[in-house]
Amino acid sequence: MSEISAVLAQLECHVTAAVAWTHSGRAAVIIYVEEGRGGGPIVDSGRLAHVQEQLENVVEAHHGTGERRSVRLTDPKLGRTHTERRLHQLLYADLDYTRCQGCNDADCAKIHVTIEPCEEKGYSIVNLRSADRPKLLFDTVCALTDMEYVVFHAAVSSLGTLADQEYFIRQKDGCTLEKESERHKLSQCLIAAIERGMVQGLRLDVCTMNRMGLLSDVTRAFRENGLSISRAEVGRHGEMAIGSFYVTEASSGGSYVSPETVEQVRKELGESIVVVDKLPCWNGEVKPTAASKPSTRRHDGSAGGEKPRFSLGTLFWAHLGWLSSNFGSSIRS
């Protein structure tokens, strides 16, 4: 993402929003760009071809022969696929589910999937148990819908930190899942859909004045300090750029981010970066003012000082919600 945003900055393309997911060693990114000079969409076909060629060069440099990759630029289309559902589709098409496995220990907090026939009603019954979290139902239904299964009945409940989901489904043609290969693939895809939303890493919020090349500067600071982005969501509100990055430290195997590394990044990026905890929290309200003070919350989520005085919440998702309806279903990066 650092190299992609650097190329876009060099080409004078202004990033106005971006969402990136990683799962099972694969990455899917949707980036919304405008002309750097004056704004607005890039309309010149020759310029579009040049931008795509440069992005393809960056992506190709990190792939071996035969490895899957795709870069596509397209005009936004009204009323098309929701951004997060599109990311699900991109990773599903990229076969990120092939290494997913469930768990047979019913007492653990891992993802459990069972698929059984309901012969008297002509359904297949899908039962899932996993850790409860926001958007869990959305992610599950996206997987079922994109695999062309129809949900006739469903029941969802949660107890403590666990959530149970039960779906009575048929294939779009009315058939049930009679083959073991079909049940195995559906199980893998449901696990993958749930795992994609299980964010890993330390969350860093950024709120600063918007400018061209900002995403390149932020991601370069992460890269040069040994941080890897596991998930990113950035956008703008008025003259402000707002975003959240979930980062891990490569030298620690992805399980730890040292306070020293975070402090070095903050020094390079200025006081615009706020350290939050590991868990996503989108129910706050952005207050992009000079009064917002960085938190001294440690990497493990314990409070070492004042809590952050803003999160991205309402304004960020309002902006992305508008973009969601404008992304064409073929946008890829």
Side-chain angles (χ1 to χ4, degrees):
M1 192 169 184
S2 174
E3 294 180 9
I4 288 173
S5 57
V7 167
L8 289 172
Q10 291 170 3
L11 295 171
E12 296 187 336
C13 297
H14 182 40
V15 175
T16 59
V19 185
W21 284 6
T22 62
H23 177 252
S24 193
R26 309 299 293 173
V29 186
I30 295 177
I31 303 175
Y32 191 87
V33 299
E34 293 181 348
E35 281 283 12
R37 301 174 181 175
I42 302 173
V43 295
D44 181 79
S45 58
R47 176 156 163 73
L48 280 172
H50 180 61
V51 171
Q52 177 156 335
E53 180 184 13
Q54 295 303 306
L55 292 176
E56 286 175 344
N57 289 339
V58 171
V59 174
E60 184 179 7
H62 294 279
H63 287 74
T65 303
E67 286 188 321
R68 296 182 304 277
R69 63 184 184 275
S70 175
V71 177
R72 185 175 300 175
L73 273 67
T74 185
D75 294 330
K77 306 279 176 57
L78 289 174
R80 299 300 291 272
T81 307
H82 184 280
T83 305
E84 294 190 357
R85 183 178 177 191
R86 183 62 188 143
L87 289 167
H88 275 299
Q89 292 173 341
L90 290 172
L91 287 167
Y92 169 66
D94 197 54
L95 308 179
D96 74 319
Y97 57 85
T98 54
R99 291 188 287 174
C100 291
Q101 294 183 349
C103 181
N104 296 322
D105 183 0
D107 294 326
C108 76
K110 294 182 179 179
I111 302 171
H112 303 263
V113 181
T114 60
I115 302 174
E116 303 172 345
C118 180
E119 296 179 357
E120 63 273 19
K121 297 293 185 179
Y123 299 131
S124 292
I125 305 175
V126 179
N127 283 283
L128 299 98
R129 169 166 284 191
S130 66
D132 196 10
R133 60 167 175 79
K135 297 192 178 181
L136 177 62
L137 183 61
F138 172 83
D139 294 336
T140 306
V141 173
C142 278
L144 291 170
T145 303
D146 290 334
M147 296 184 72
E148 298 190 335
Y149 289 104
V150 180
V151 178
F152 288 85
H153 308 282
V156 180
S157 63
S158 62
L159 179 63
T161 60
L162 295 178
D164 289 303
Q165 303 177 70
E166 183 178 58
Y167 299 92
F168 292 75
I169 67 170
R170 294 180 190 144
Q171 293 175 326
K172 195 173 182 179
D173 59 8
C175 297
T176 57
L177 287 80
E178 298 179 356
K179 298 179 180 179
E180 175 59 29
S181 59
E182 294 174 334
R183 292 190 291 269
H184 180 66
K185 180 180 178 181
L186 177 57
S187 177
Q188 286 184 308
C189 291
L190 289 170
I191 293 170
I194 294 173
E195 286 181 348
R196 291 174 199 139
M198 298 169 66
V199 181
Q200 296 182 344
L202 174 70
R203 174 179 156 192
L204 303 178
D205 280 1
V206 177
C207 183
T208 188
M209 289 297 296
N210 189 28
R211 58 178 173 78
M212 192 171 71
L214 176 62
L215 182 61
S216 175
D217 292 341
V218 171
T219 53
R220 184 179 66 250
F222 291 161
R223 175 171 55 85
E224 291 177 348
N225 285 280
L227 296 179
S228 178
I229 298 172
S230 63
R231 189 179 182 115
E233 297 162 327
V234 298
R236 66 181 180 184
H237 180 72
E239 296 182 351
M240 303 301 295
I242 54 178
S244 279
F245 298 87
Y246 293 84
V247 297
T248 60
E249 197 164 337
S251 61
S252 67
S255 60
Y256 176 79
V257 178
S258 71
E260 294 78 14
T261 300
V262 173
E263 187 59 30
Q264 181 61 35
V265 170
R266 288 188 61 220
K267 287 180 179 178
E268 294 181 19
L269 296 179
E271 295 298 296
S272 61
I273 192 163
V274 175
V275 183
V276 193
D277 55 24
K278 288 186 177 182
L279 299 177
C281 178
W282 297 105
N283 295 323
E285 186 175 324
V286 177
K287 297 180 180 179
T289 67
S292 296
K293 296 181 180 179
S295 166
T296 54
R297 181 175 292 269
R298 297 199 301 269
H299 70 279
D300 60 0
S302 58
E306 183 182 9
K307 293 183 179 180
R309 298 179 62 178
F310 70 85
S311 64
L312 303 184
T314 306
L315 294 180
F316 175 78
W317 284 112
H319 179 75
L320 268 191
W322 178 83
L323 290 177
S324 296
S325 64
N326 286 273
F327 281 121
S329 61
S330 60
I331 293 179
R332 298 184 184 181
S333 178

